Amino acid sequence: MSHEKRFKGIPMSKSMRGLCKEEDYEFLGMSGKMTKEPTEGAEALEDYRRHDKEERIRWRQEREQKEKERLQEIEESKKEKEQQWRTHVENLTSSQEKTLQDRLARLRRFREFQRKVLVEESGMEGVSATVTANQLLTRM
């Protein structure tokens, strides 16, 4: 029953207190004995704390390194997508220019054909026939 008085200050719910027994608190009594023997316990505790701190520092550094790598991968991905977009736009533009050049060439050949047909049908020869054919084609 002395354990109830001794550990009354430990924050715990009522239901939890009901479940706990004296054996559950034995480890607390042992920790009190460890404080009386400072040489062994203190060194072990100090080693544990130092090791724990080193572990936390190492984990934090690993997290930071992973975050840097992730951000670098995202940046590289953005650059790659941007480059792909530029290539796509360049290809699209060049194909449109080629299409327009082909259309212009076909249109010029057709106009030459029309001019030739008009000159032949009019029966006139020379520069005057060409001027007349150009005027007719311009009206169309």
Side-chain angles (χ1 to χ4, degrees), residues 4-109:
E4 290 180 13
K5 293 177 187 175
R6 189 171 171 198
F7 301 111
K8 194 139 186 130
I10 296 175
M12 190 181 299
S13 68
K14 288 182 180 179
S15 62
M16 195 67 185
R17 282 191 194 277
L19 295 174
C20 292
K21 303 220 187 283
E22 187 173 345
E23 295 87 27
D24 294 338
Y25 291 108
E26 280 185 26
F27 73 95
L28 293 174
M30 292 174 68
S31 68
K33 291 177 186 174
M34 289 178 65
T35 58
K36 293 176 184 173
E37 300 171 4
T39 56
E40 289 181 24
E43 289 176 10
L45 185 61
E46 186 65 30
D47 286 343
Y48 174 76
R49 287 182 181 165
R50 188 179 317 118
H51 178 70
D52 191 42
K53 185 176 181 180
E54 289 171 358
E55 284 291 315
R56 280 187 268 130
I57 290 171
R58 187 176 55 82
W59 290 337
R60 187 180 71 231
Q61 288 173 346
E62 287 177 2
R63 271 197 318 267
E64 289 172 355
Q65 181 66 27
K66 286 179 183 178
E67 182 66 17
K68 284 180 185 177
E69 290 173 0
R70 187 182 71 82
L71 291 174
Q72 187 177 12
E73 288 175 2
I74 290 172
E75 189 67 29
E76 289 174 0
S77 173
K78 284 181 181 179
K79 286 180 182 178
E80 184 178 328
K81 286 180 181 180
E82 187 176 324
Q83 183 62 32
Q84 288 175 351
W85 176 251
R86 285 181 184 162
T87 304
H88 171 72
V89 169
E90 287 173 2
N91 290 340
L92 190 62
T93 303
S94 67
S95 68
Q96 288 177 346
E97 287 177 359
K98 186 177 182 330
T99 303
L100 288 174
Q101 292 295 331
D102 291 345
R103 240 187 220 172
L104 180 63
R106 284 195 312 269
L107 187 60
R108 285 184 178 156
R109 284 193 307 262

